[in-house]
Structures are given as C-alpha cells and as structure tokens.
Amino acid sequence: MGLAAENLVRVLGVCCGEEPSGLAEAVMLLRRAQPSFAATLYSAWQAEGRDLNPGLRHDLEAARARIGYYRAVARELAAAVPGLATIKGLEVADLYPAGLTRAMNDLDYVASDERDLWAAVAILAADGWDAETATFSQAGGALQMMVSLRRPHADPYQMPYGIEIATYYTLGDLSGVPPVLSLSAAWRAPAIRNALMLLYERFEQPYRARDLVDAFLLLGAASDGELDAFRQAVGTLRLRSQYAELARLVGRSGLGQLPGPPPGAWARGLTRARRIARGAGFLRRPLIGTARHLQRRRIYGRPGGLERLAWTVTQRLVPVAAGLRGGLVGFGLPLDGRPAGADAAVLGARGRLAWVDTPVARFLLTAGDDVSQAAVDELSGAGPALSPVIAAPAELAG
C-alpha cells in the first residue's frame, strides 16, 4: 500500500478513532486532533491534483518554508559541529515520497559530549538564537542537560523556530524506564535511532498519525541487518509493548505490516517487574519519591486535582538540588549576565536556591513553576559561581 491521500485519510481515522466522511471532516480532525499530520495530507491532495483553498495552501507553504529553513540551519551546524546526531526531523522527512511534506516544529539533536553542546549553542546564539530554557537532570553519575533555543519567525503570527540540543537520547519516562545516554554503534543507524526515539515518545503521548507514517517509512528503509539490530534494541531497552502497539496501529491503518516484536511473553512480565522495582527504589526516600511521581504526572499533563495540590506543597518541601540528586528534573530559567570562567555546566546551591553556571548563561533552577523575583535578583548579573558548588559526580550520584 502506498501513501496516496486515501491511505493517509485512513491513517488519520485510525488515530482519531473515527473515519472522516469527507474533505471538511478530515480537515476538522486534523486541526482538532492531529495538526502535525496536516501538511502531509494537504500535500498528498495537492500532488493528486486537488485544488486547495487559500487557507490550506498557506498552511502547506508555511510548513514547507519552515523545513527549508531548518535544512539550511542543519547544514551549517553539521559543518561546524560534526558531533551532533539528529533525532527524527529531517532524516525522516527525507524518506517521504516526492511531493509529500512532513511537518516539523523544531530540530532535535544529541551532542556527543557537553563540549559539542555548548559549541553548537554558541554558534546559534551568534546567529540570533536565544537560549529560552534548559532542563538538567542527574544520570550516569553526571549532570545531563538539554538546551532549548528559539528564534522569532519573520511572520509574527507563526510560531518561532526551535532547536533542542541534549547530552542524552531520552530520560526514559522519569520512573521505571531508565534513561538512554548513548547508543551502541549497531543502533546508531538513522533508521534504528529514529525508530527507537519514536517509541520513547509514547511515554509522553499517544501515537499520532504522523508517527505511523514515520515508522512505516523508517523500518521500510532499513536493511535486514538493521531490522535485526532494531528488534534486539527493542528487547534490550524493554520497549516491546510500545513497539507492539505501534505495529498494531500501522497494520490497522493499512500501510503494511511492521516486523514482529522480539519474542517472549516472559519479557513483558520481566519488563513490568523491573519498572516496578526501579520505581519502588524511591520509596526509601518517600518525599523525593512522591515529588518524582508528581513531577512526572505534571510533565506528561495528567495530574488530578489532588495531585496538583500535593505538588504545590511537595515542591516547596524539596530543595531543588536535593530533588535533582533524587531523580527530579530541574528546569532552568536563563538569567541576565554571563558567569565568569564557566567552561562547562556546574551545579550550585545555597539554601533553597539552586542554579547551573554554563558557558552561555546562568540558569536559575526550579522543579516546577515557582520562581521568585528575589531569587532572580540574587542570581542575576555577571560574576563567579556562588558557593557552595555541587560538582562532583560522586556527590551527584549520592
């Protein structure tokens, strides 16, 4: 089965739980539930000779222009910082048949090390990009980070351009699924790497129509050896249930059959047991364990009323630096003034204040939404890192 417009409409129906009965209903479903799939279906209609109305043409042209801009930025970054690995995005878009467009909100990279991350950030900053936020976490005995950069679009009615650069592939699901800081050489092939990252996104949200097409194209382009390596990775990383769900949806959509998941019903039970054991480990520190659970629920957008109230109380009881050591994610707000002498990220804390000095900015850390103006004022401005500094991997791992 190909990627004709009627096939894509069926994909849309599988992910929305209802088959659109006509053009207007398909557009309604796209706008309401699957905006990341709109450019693909619009481009398929256009490629088959259907005349789009001005609104749909504008949306499609805007998506194509954004991709063109990202291609130019990606070429410059690849030439300047070879140690960046892309995640999905352009590598998947290149697999789409001629005439079909894959929408892209931003570019995602994993840096081979922290030095490459800051080199890329510096290049982008010199070109007009701003470090909007950063996230910091403790994993592998070291401080891990992701920097989110934004650049305004020339059209003020369009979303800004975005780039995210991290020192890790994924943080798992912040609970029972461990992070992936690096991939073995056998798993770094674009088809494998990008398909694995697609599976990890399932912890954040249900599979979308675009994900089904991406998976079909990624695994369809993989060699037999790459497919064997992918199946091994799915089993090793304990992603069997995520892959089985994706394969079922792709099959229901009529796109084709994905390769079967790695065998072994026992593996599913072992995966559940390992996740429960990993999560239960945090019960040794009940307050930190509660904070981690509530933060995870909040990040993934599923907190109930009592959980929101509990989070408001809990985040005030747990100092951010202690929470970071216990498995929380720290969200960094960039402050005015560049810290003197920082050539790598250094975590610091004093009382309830926590921050990270980096080569590009000082980031005030918070585990949630609470940031006081007093904290901003105290940490803003140029100068050396405040003491005491928490930098040793052994201390971070404690």
Side-chain angles (χ1 to χ4, degrees):
M1 182 176 181
L3 293 177
E6 64 176 321
N7 308 141
L8 298 177
V9 169
R10 184 173 176 183
V11 172
L12 176 65
V14 166
C15 288
C16 290
E18 54 181 310
E19 190 84 21
S21 59
L23 296 176
E25 188 170 331
V27 171
M28 179 195 70
L29 286 175
L30 288 168
R31 290 174 171 168
R32 185 182 70 192
Q34 298 286 329
S36 64
F37 198 53
T40 303
L41 186 50
Y42 296 164
S43 63
W45 283 336
Q46 187 181 70
E48 294 176 9
R50 189 175 293 279
D51 186 26
L52 303 180
N53 67 32
L56 302 192
R57 283 201 307 273
H58 174 273
D59 290 349
L60 179 55
E61 290 165 5
R64 286 172 170 165
R66 181 174 289 262
I67 292 173
Y69 177 78
Y70 282 145
R71 288 191 189 282
V73 173
R75 285 193 296 269
E76 295 176 4
L77 275 180
V81 190
L84 294 180
T86 57
I87 300 298
K88 297 176 63 181
L90 293 173
E91 288 184 329
V92 183
D94 288 341
L95 298 176
Y96 275 55
L100 263 62
T101 299
R102 181 189 187 274
M104 286 179 51
N105 291 325
D106 55 19
L107 287 174
D108 295 302
Y109 288 98
V110 174
S112 59
D113 55 35
E114 186 185 342
R115 182 175 56 184
D116 279 346
L117 181 147
W118 297 124
V121 170
I123 290 170
L124 292 166
D127 195 36
W129 291 77
D130 292 321
E132 184 182 58
T133 60
T135 59
F136 299 90
S137 57
Q138 190 275 321
L143 191 64
Q144 307 295 333
M145 61 214 70
M146 179 177 70
V147 181
S148 299
L149 301 105
R150 295 292 180 266
R151 184 173 185 173
H153 197 286
D155 180 352
Y157 294 100
Q158 292 197 41
M159 295 295 293
Y161 298 109
I163 295 179
E164 293 186 341
I165 309 174
T167 56
Y168 51 82
Y169 281 87
T170 174
L171 291 179
D173 71 342
L174 305 178
S175 181
V177 178
V180 177
L181 305 182
S182 62
L183 293 174
S184 68
W187 299 351
R188 291 177 194 162
I192 301 174
R193 180 179 74 240
N194 292 318
L196 289 176
M197 294 305 103
L198 194 158
L199 297 182
Y200 273 104
E201 288 185 359
R202 180 60 183 90
F203 294 112
E204 303 174 15
Q205 61 189 348
Y207 287 122
R208 300 161 296 177
R210 189 182 70 177
D211 297 332
L212 272 58
V213 175
D214 285 356
F216 172 69
L217 294 174
L218 281 167
L219 297 180
S223 66
D224 289 343
E226 289 173 340
L227 289 177
D228 289 341
F230 172 72
R231 284 160 53 87
Q232 180 192 44
V234 168
T236 302
L237 297 173
R238 305 194 287 275
L239 297 172
R240 191 183 190 282
S241 60
Q242 285 71 36
Y243 179 63
E245 179 187 359
L246 179 63
R248 285 195 301 272
L249 289 172
V250 172
R252 284 176 50 200
S253 73
L255 288 176
Q257 296 298 319
L258 297 185
W266 64 271
R268 291 195 295 272
L270 180 59
T271 295
R272 286 194 294 269
R274 284 175 172 171
R275 291 178 182 175
I276 291 171
R278 180 176 168 84
F282 293 100
L283 295 179
R284 294 193 300 268
R285 303 172 67 185
L287 184 57
I288 291 290
T290 299
R292 185 182 175 101
H293 167 76
L294 294 172
Q295 187 188 59
R296 175 178 179 270
R297 295 279 291 178
R298 186 172 181 82
I299 289 174
Y300 294 148
R302 295 189 288 266
L306 288 177
E307 287 175 321
R308 287 192 292 270
L309 178 61
W311 173 245
T312 300
V313 175
T314 303
Q315 67 172 312
R316 294 172 181 169
L317 295 175
V318 178
V320 178
L324 210 63
R325 294 195 298 273
L328 291 181
V329 174
F331 303 101
L333 172 69
L335 302 176
D336 294 334
R338 178 178 174 179
D343 56 4
V346 179
L347 172 65
R350 186 174 65 193
R352 296 193 59 81
L353 282 180
W355 65 91
V356 177
D357 282 339
T358 77
V360 300
R362 171 172 290 161
F363 291 89
L364 170 62
L365 290 186
T366 176
D369 302 324
D370 290 347
V371 176
S372 70
Q373 185 61 48
V376 172
D377 293 341
E378 183 171 351
L379 294 178
S380 293
L386 306 178
S387 59
V389 171
I390 306 170
E395 185 175 355
L396 278 171

